Amino acid sequence: MQKFDEISLLGTRFHKIKVNELIEYAVQAAKLKKKTIIGHVNTRAMNFAYELPWYKDFLNKSDLVFCDGFGVLLGAKLCGGCVDSSHRMTCPDYIEDFARACDRENVSLFLLAGEPGTVDQAIAKLKVIAPNLRVKGHHGYFDKSGEENEFVIQQINQFKPDILYIGFGMPLQERWILNNSEKIETKVFLPLGACLDFYSGTVSRGPRWMTSSGLEWLTRLATQPKRLWKRYVLGNPLFFYRVLQQQLMKLFRKRSRTSSQY
């Protein structure tokens, strides 16, 4: 498997990877006789990693971590990282290319996400552009422990997908992977949050010029203010405060070392 350069930010790492490379990596990993975990970061993920040791450990031990947020790219640039907009990708923009690649390479896909009905809508759309895609799914609104959880895992294992897409939102989806990965028969775990909600049209993304310029969060905040205001109004400034604090500490230590030499 191809290796990619790493960027470390607030003690959490992600890879410099572009969307075509991500798709190729996932499809090839699905053909290996091992389990592969692919993670992703945005400012919310970085805040979780800063506060939750297990979450940071999940990301730092994942086989590949891609960037899904302009805020993280900006934070990396402030810390001297050589990244640009091509190193950021969001699932609704590439899910059809991903489905075509799975279709072409005979890689099966299981979608585990969304409210009842959302997965069915997404599968119907994907089958239009990838008619031979082997795909099944189940909604994400189930008890993540106990009998209901075991039933869902049984459904997955009966299908034995090459790639399992999990969309419960952070950090629930990552915790679920950690708790259940050993008993799930799949090759690739791919947590992608609310991708299917956007793809199926259940949740509005806003105009293309906003999604392409790092302003998609404004649309989400406007459409779901009660649910998302803490994530964006508090979370985004908190992330950049932590990045700047880290840089100031590095500068202070550097000056202290320089002063001690005289």
Side-chain angles (χ1 to χ4, degrees):
M1 296 294 290
Q2 183 178 352
K3 300 293 184 180
F4 299 97
D5 292 338
E6 293 184 1
I7 299 290
S8 181
L9 187 60
L10 298 175
T12 299
R13 64 95 152 102
F14 66 95
H15 294 90
K16 288 177 60 176
I17 185 171
K18 300 179 180 180
V19 65
N20 61 310
E21 295 170 327
L22 171 63
I23 293 172
E24 177 68 14
Y25 184 96
V27 169
Q28 294 307 313
K31 299 177 181 181
L32 302 178
K33 293 182 178 181
K34 63 182 286 290
K35 293 186 178 184
T36 297
I37 294 178
I38 300 175
H40 66 106
V41 292
N42 50 31
T43 55
R44 189 174 188 230
M46 284 294 182
N47 283 335
F48 278 133
Y50 192 91
E51 298 161 4
L52 302 172
W54 73 263
Y55 194 85
K56 177 182 288 189
D57 192 56
F58 174 89
L59 291 172
N60 286 339
K61 288 184 177 180
S62 293
D63 297 280
L64 184 74
V65 180
F66 66 92
C67 178
D68 177 19
F70 279 106
V72 172
L73 291 183
L74 179 55
K77 286 183 178 181
L78 291 173
C79 295
C82 184
V83 293
D84 57 52
S85 60
S86 68
H87 297 118
R88 175 259 186 183
M89 61 210 74
T90 185
C91 178
D93 291 333
Y94 66 81
I95 189 171
E96 292 191 345
D97 289 336
F98 179 61
R100 291 189 186 98
C102 289
D103 187 353
R104 185 172 59 250
E105 299 292 333
N106 195 30
V107 168
S108 59
L109 183 62
F110 195 101
L111 307 176
L112 185 62
E115 297 181 0
T118 298
V119 165
D120 296 332
Q121 294 177 44
I123 289 177
K125 289 186 66 175
L126 293 175
K127 292 291 282 186
V128 171
I129 56 95
N132 298 316
L133 177 67
R134 293 186 292 127
V135 57
K136 285 191 176 182
H138 190 282
H139 66 80
Y141 280 66
F142 62 92
D143 189 347
K144 304 305 185 294
S145 62
E147 292 184 3
E148 195 171 1
N149 188 64
E150 294 305 316
F151 173 79
V152 171
I153 291 175
Q154 184 181 25
Q155 298 300 302
I156 297 169
N157 288 346
Q158 286 179 356
F159 185 57
K160 291 183 174 61
D162 298 311
I163 299 176
L164 173 61
Y165 156 63
I166 307 102
F168 306 152
M170 300 172 177
L172 180 58
Q173 59 195 15
E174 289 79 12
R175 183 76 263 176
W176 188 84
I177 291 171
L178 288 175
N179 290 344
N180 298 282
S181 61
E182 291 300 319
K183 52 188 175 183
I184 295 177
E185 296 183 42
T186 190
K187 302 291 183 58
V188 179
F189 293 87
L190 185 61
L192 290 174
C195 174
L196 294 192
D197 293 325
F198 295 124
Y199 181 62
S200 65
T202 305
V203 177
S204 174
R205 293 190 67 199
R208 169 67 69 172
W209 70 268
M210 293 186 74
T211 61
S212 300
S213 57
L215 297 175
E216 184 174 348
W217 66 273
L218 281 175
T219 299
R220 297 200 65 191
L221 179 60
T223 55
Q224 297 177 298
K226 290 184 178 180
R227 189 173 77 86
L228 299 177
W229 75 271
K230 287 185 178 180
R231 180 186 306 185
Y232 297 121
V233 177
L234 299 182
N236 286 353
L238 179 60
F239 165 73
F240 285 108
Y241 167 77
R242 287 167 169 168
V243 169
L244 291 174
Q245 184 183 48
Q246 174 183 273
Q247 289 306 98
L248 289 174
M249 289 297 295
K250 286 182 179 180
L251 180 60
F252 176 78
R253 286 194 293 268
K254 182 179 179 180
R255 288 183 175 179
S256 296
R257 286 193 299 268
T258 301
S259 299
S260 65
Q261 294 175 0
Y262 295 96

